[in-house]
Amino acid sequence: MPESCAKAPQNEESPGQPNELKRNDSQTASEFIDSQLQLEADAREALPFSFEHCTQPLGPLRQSLFSCITCNPPPESPSDPYTPAGVCYACSIACHGEHTLVELFNKRNFTCDCGTTRLPATSPCTLRIDPATGMKGPVHSESPPTGNNYNQNFRNRFCACGELYDPHKQKGTMYQCLGLATESEGGCDEDWWHPECLLGLPRDWYVSAAKKTEGEENPSADQSQQNSQEQDADEDHPVPPGFPDEEHFEALICYKCVDTCPWIKRYGHGNGFVALQQRKALQEHDSPIKEETTFISAKEVIKPEQPLESMAGSKKRKAEEESPGTGSSSPKKQKNESVELNSQTFSSTSMSCRKEALPRAPLGLISLVACDEDFRSRFCRCADCYPSLSKYPQLLEEEEIYEPPLSEDGDNIEAGGSVGTGSLLERGEAALSNMDRVRAIEGVMVYNHLKDKVKSFLQPFAESGQAVGAEDIKAYFEKLRGDAEAIRAAGGAAIVGGDGPDGGDNRREESGY
C-alpha cells in the first residue's frame, strides 16, 4: 500500500486526539436543527412537486420521464436486444428513489411503465391502486401501455454519437430535438444532441483545433503547453462555430427528422432559422476551423442576394453595417422588429404560398435551429402546405407539459418542510392526530419521559459549554436501552460459567412446557 494511502494505527493516538475527533464530529442542537432544515429546503427545491400519485391512470402525456438502470440495466452493446421502460416523476421517487436513474426530461405521448411487465416484479408500483385488493400498491406485472415509443435514451445513450451520459463528466450543453419522427420512422424521437455532432465534427474537435492553431503560431511549443491547452478546453467545452449561442436558441430539428419531411428544408434559408450543414471531420481540413469559411453561421444565413429581406437576422445585420460606430440595440428589440417585419411581409402575400417565396432547399444533411420564439408562425399554412404541417402538432403550437401538483408547503420557503409532508415536527404532529386518543396520550407521555432524560443528560454539557460528541450520544442511548449492560452481562456469564459440566459450551436446548 502506498504511504499516502496507509492508515494510521488505531492504537497509537496522541493524548489530544480523541477530544479533537470528538470536536470535529460534534455539533450543537441548534446547528443540527439548522442542518436538517437546510437539507429539507434543498430537497424541496430539487423535488418541488408532489409524488403521491402515478400518472399512468391519466394516459399518454408529455411529461418528465426517467429510466431505471437498476431495475432494467441496458446491455453493453447498443445492438443487443433490450426492453426499455420509463417511469414518471412520482414513481422515480416513491418506487425507485434508491435506484440509479437516467433523467430523460420531457417525452410526448408517454404512459408510465412502472408496475408493468417491462420492469421486474420485485420493483412494484407503490402509488397505484391494486385492482385485486382495492388498496394502494404494490402493483406489478400489469400489461404495459401499447402507445409508448422508446429510443436510445432509455439505454442511457444520447446523440448520433451514442455516447453514454454521465452528468458528472459531461461537458458543454446538449439540445433536445422537437422529434418529428420516431426511430423506426427514421427520426430521432426527441433525442438530445451535441452541437458538434450536428455539424459532423468529433466530440473533441476543439482539441485538434487548438493543437493546429498552436502549431502554426508557435512551432516550437512543447508538449506541456499542449497538455495545458487540452485541459483548459476540456474544462470549458466551447460551442463550435456556426452553432447559435444559447441566448438565440429556441428549438432544434435534427437532420434525421428533417430528412423525414424534406419540405421543411426550404425554411433553412433564414426566416428565423439557422441551417446547420454537416461537414467533414475537422482533421480532414487543411486549415483550422473558421466560422466564416467552414460552417453556415447565423450571420451567413441571410445573404444580400436572397429574397425576403425581412427574414430574421437581416435586420440585425443591416443595423450593424449602417451604424458600426454606434451601440447596437438590445437582442429583444431586434427580435421584435424582425417579427413585425416578417408579419408585414407575409400578410401581403397571405393569399399565396409563403414557402414558394423561399429559395430552393439546401443540399446535404441539414439541421434547423429556430432562433426566434415565434418560429412556429413562420411556417406557411396555405391550403397546399397545411396538410403536411398539421401532421406535426409540435410545429403548430407549443406543447403542454404535464407537471404534478406542488407539494404541500412546497412554495412556502419559511415552512421548513420536507417534500410533500411538511417539516419533521409537522410530520410528528400529523401522526399523533391520526392516532386514537389512548395511543396518542401514551405516545406523548413516553415522549415527555424521554425528553426529561435527554434534558438531564445534556444539562452538564450546556453548563460547561462543552460540545456533545457523537460517541457521547451513542453511549448514552446504549445505556438508556440497556445495551451495554446486556452485553456485559452476557460476556460475564460466558466467562464465569465456562464450559458446562458435560464439557459443552453452556448452551442448552430450550424445552417445551
Side-chain angles (χ1 to χ4, degrees):
M1 178 181 293
E3 293 182 0
S4 59
C5 299
K7 296 182 179 179
Q10 296 181 357
N11 295 330
E12 297 179 6
E13 297 178 346
S14 60
Q17 186 175 1
N19 292 331
E20 182 179 355
L21 291 176
K22 188 176 294 186
R23 287 195 299 269
N24 293 337
D25 295 339
S26 63
Q27 59 183 167
T28 64
S30 177
E31 292 172 344
F32 175 76
I33 293 174
D34 291 341
S35 65
Q36 291 301 308
L37 291 178
Q38 183 59 47
L39 287 174
E40 293 188 11
D42 293 342
R44 184 172 57 251
E45 181 179 357
L47 305 171
F49 301 107
S50 172
F51 46 88
E52 297 178 357
H53 303 285
C54 174
T55 61
Q56 191 188 84
L58 302 178
L61 299 169
R62 178 167 179 79
Q63 59 180 314
S64 181
L65 295 177
F66 298 81
S67 177
C68 184
I69 302 301
T70 303
C71 294
N72 206 10
E76 294 184 3
S77 174
S79 59
D80 291 344
Y82 178 62
T83 303
V87 298
C88 66
Y89 166 87
C91 289
S92 70
I93 301 172
C95 310
H96 305 266
E98 298 181 357
H99 298 176
T100 302
L101 298 170
V102 178
E103 186 173 8
L104 307 178
F105 294 90
N106 298 317
K107 297 282 187 182
R108 70 173 58 94
N109 299 331
F110 200 95
T111 305
C112 181
D113 285 320
C114 191
T116 69
T117 54
R118 285 188 171 271
L119 292 167
T122 53
S123 297
C125 180
T126 61
L127 300 179
R128 293 206 305 275
I129 302 298
D130 187 353
T133 62
M135 303 294 289
K136 201 172 192 179
V139 177
H140 61 84
S141 304
E142 289 189 342
S143 298
T146 57
N148 291 344
N149 291 311
Y150 305 89
N151 63 358
Q152 65 170 351
N153 297 164
F154 292 84
R155 298 171 176 251
N156 194 28
R157 293 187 179 273
F158 296 84
C159 191
C161 62
E163 185 176 87
L164 290 171
Y165 182 77
D166 185 346
H168 303 290
K169 298 180 180 179
Q170 176 68 30
K171 301 295 182 181
T173 304
M174 299 183 73
Y175 299 88
Q176 187 178 25
C177 176
L178 285 177
L180 303 187
T182 63
E183 282 188 343
S184 60
E185 297 169 338
C188 75
D189 198 7
E190 298 185 276
D191 201 350
W192 290 80
W193 292 80
H194 302 112
E196 54 269 18
C197 294
L198 291 169
L199 293 166
L201 292 174
R203 288 281 287 126
D204 59 347
W205 65 271
Y206 52 89
V207 177
S208 302
K211 286 182 178 180
K212 197 162 190 177
T213 302
E214 178 65 24
E216 292 178 355
E217 295 177 356
N218 186 11
S220 60
D222 56 15
Q223 186 64 30
S224 61
Q225 292 178 336
Q226 294 183 6
N227 293 338
S228 177
Q229 291 175 354
E230 291 179 17
Q231 183 178 359
D232 294 340
D234 188 57
E235 292 178 355
D236 185 17
H237 195 108
V239 176
F243 196 90
D245 55 28
E246 294 185 26
E247 181 182 356
H248 298 94
F249 179 92
E250 289 294 336
L252 166 68
I253 305 176
C254 73
Y255 59 84
K256 290 184 179 181
C257 291
V258 167
D259 273 359
T260 63
C261 49
W263 57 267
I264 204 172
K265 284 187 176 183
R266 294 284 294 272
Y267 295 93
H269 287 287
N271 193 30
F273 293 91
V274 173
L276 306 177
Q277 189 170 10
Q278 282 262 337
R279 299 288 180 170
K280 295 181 180 180
L282 179 64
Q283 57 267 25
E284 297 180 9
H285 287 272
D286 296 329
S287 60
I289 184 171
K290 293 182 180 180
E291 178 179 349
E292 65 272 17
T293 59
T294 308
F295 295 116
I296 302 175
S297 67
K299 293 182 180 180
E300 295 174 328
V301 172
I302 307 301
K303 296 183 179 180
E305 65 270 19
Q306 291 181 355
L308 296 178
E309 295 179 355
S310 60
M311 291 180 181
S314 60
K315 179 67 178 179
K316 182 177 180 181
R317 179 172 180 172
K318 184 178 181 181
E320 293 173 348
E321 292 174 350
E322 290 181 353
S323 56
T326 60
S328 60
S329 59
S330 65
K332 184 175 182 180
K333 181 178 179 182
Q334 294 165 357
K335 182 181 294 186
N336 293 335
E337 291 176 350
S338 300
V339 172
E340 293 176 1
L341 289 173
N342 275 280
S343 302
Q344 295 173 2
T345 303
F346 287 135
S347 62
S348 63
T349 59
S350 59
M351 300 302 296
S352 61
C353 179
R354 301 179 185 179
K355 191 174 65 175
E356 292 301 323
L358 297 172
R360 297 179 62 181
L363 301 177
L365 294 177
I366 299 295
S367 300
L368 297 181
V369 174
C371 300
D372 192 334
E373 60 185 7
D374 197 32
F375 71 93
R376 291 178 176 86
S377 66
R378 305 290 191 266
F379 296 112
C380 179
R381 305 193 183 201
C382 70
D384 293 332
C385 295
Y386 188 77
S388 298
L389 180 66
S390 62
K391 297 177 181 178
Y392 309 98
Q394 61 269 43
L395 298 181
L396 294 174
E397 60 183 2
E398 188 174 357
E399 297 176 280
E400 182 180 356
I401 301 174
Y402 171 80
E403 289 184 348
L406 287 173
S407 299
E408 297 178 7
D409 296 331
D411 54 351
N412 185 3
I413 300 178
E414 297 180 356
S418 59
V419 180
T421 55
S423 67
L424 294 174
L425 175 60
E426 293 168 345
R427 206 181 313 174
E429 292 176 344
L432 283 176
S433 64
N434 292 328
M435 290 182 182
D436 61 80
R437 181 176 176 81
V438 175
R439 293 186 61 188
I441 293 175
E442 291 176 348
V444 172
M445 291 177 63
V446 171
Y447 168 77
N448 288 332
H449 180 68
L450 178 62
K451 181 185 69 173
D452 293 338
K453 285 183 170 292
V454 173
K455 183 178 180 180
S456 62
F457 162 69
L458 295 176
Q459 189 67 31
F461 292 94
E463 294 176 352
S464 63
Q466 181 182 358
V468 184
E471 292 298 327
D472 298 325
I473 299 292
K474 183 178 179 182
Y476 172 74
F477 278 98
E478 283 181 351
K479 181 180 179 181
L480 197 64
R481 292 193 305 263
D483 295 353
E485 289 82 357
I487 294 173
R488 283 196 296 268
I495 295 173
V496 174
D499 290 343
D502 298 330
D505 58 357
N506 206 33
R507 291 182 296 177
R508 292 180 293 179
E509 183 177 352
E510 186 175 357
S511 61
Y513 292 95

